[in-house]
Amino acid sequence: MTSEEDGRRPGTRFDDVAEAATRAFRLLPAAPQDTLPPPGAARHRPAHRISTDPDTVERDLVKLVLTLVELLRQLMERQALQRVDAGDLTEEQEERLGATLMILHSRMVELCARYDLTMQDLNLDLGPLGTLLPPSE
C-alpha cells in the first residue's frame, strides 16, 4: 500500500516515525551522566574514549564484521523461507537458494573457527533490548 493509496501525502510516514521516536525518547529516563550540571557548575568529566587493545584489534574487527554478516544471513534466510511458504519460487530456485544459504552458513562457521570465535560470540548483548541475533534453533 503506497502513501497515495492510504490518503496520505508522501513523506508523512517518515514524519510519523520521527514523531514516535521523539515520544519514545521523552519517555526514557535520563541517566545521571546525561543530565546537565547546574548553571555555574564546571563540568569536569573526562571525555569518553574507546579503549582498544592493539593485540586484539584485528579479532575484534573481524567479530564485528562477522556479526553484521550473520545478521544479514539470518534476515536473508527468513526472507527465503517466507518466499518458499508463499510459493513464489520454483523448485529449482528453492534448491539453489537452500544450497547457497547452507554454503554461506558453513563459510561463517569456518571464519569463526579461523579467528577462534563461536557463533554465540557474534550475538551482541544490547542490554535492555536483549541480544542482536535471535536465539539459534
Side-chain angles (χ1 to χ4, degrees):
M1 179 191 251
T2 65
S3 58
E4 293 169 0
E5 291 172 353
D6 68 4
R8 297 175 169 206
R9 68 180 203 284
T12 57
R13 284 194 140 155
F14 294 118
D15 295 337
D16 292 344
V17 170
E19 185 179 318
T22 302
R23 281 194 314 267
F25 282 117
R26 267 192 250 128
L27 295 173
L28 291 173
Q33 67 270 17
D34 294 337
T35 58
L36 296 174
R43 287 184 74 164
H44 293 287
R45 253 186 351 165
H48 292 283
R49 298 191 187 266
I50 297 173
S51 60
T52 59
D53 182 4
D55 298 331
T56 64
V57 72
E58 179 183 4
R59 183 176 183 268
D60 293 341
L61 181 60
V62 167
K63 181 178 175 182
L64 177 62
V65 170
L66 289 178
T67 298
L68 292 173
V69 170
E70 178 61 14
L71 177 63
L72 292 173
R73 186 195 70 76
Q74 288 187 15
L75 291 172
M76 289 184 335
E77 190 173 273
R78 283 189 170 73
Q79 181 67 32
L81 288 174
Q82 287 177 352
R83 291 190 66 194
V84 167
D85 290 342
D88 291 347
L89 302 173
T90 66
E91 192 171 316
E92 180 185 329
Q93 289 173 324
E94 288 178 17
E95 290 294 323
R96 204 170 64 222
L97 186 58
T100 301
L101 289 172
M102 286 173 43
I103 291 169
L104 181 56
H105 179 70
S106 68
R107 294 294 191 275
M108 285 294 298
V109 171
E110 289 172 15
L111 285 169
C112 284
R114 180 183 297 171
Y115 288 95
D116 195 29
L117 296 167
T118 64
M119 294 300 280
Q120 290 79 22
D121 291 336
L122 304 182
N123 200 359
L124 301 177
D125 182 10
L126 301 176
L129 297 175
T131 55
L132 177 67
L133 303 171
S136 39
E137 295 144 7

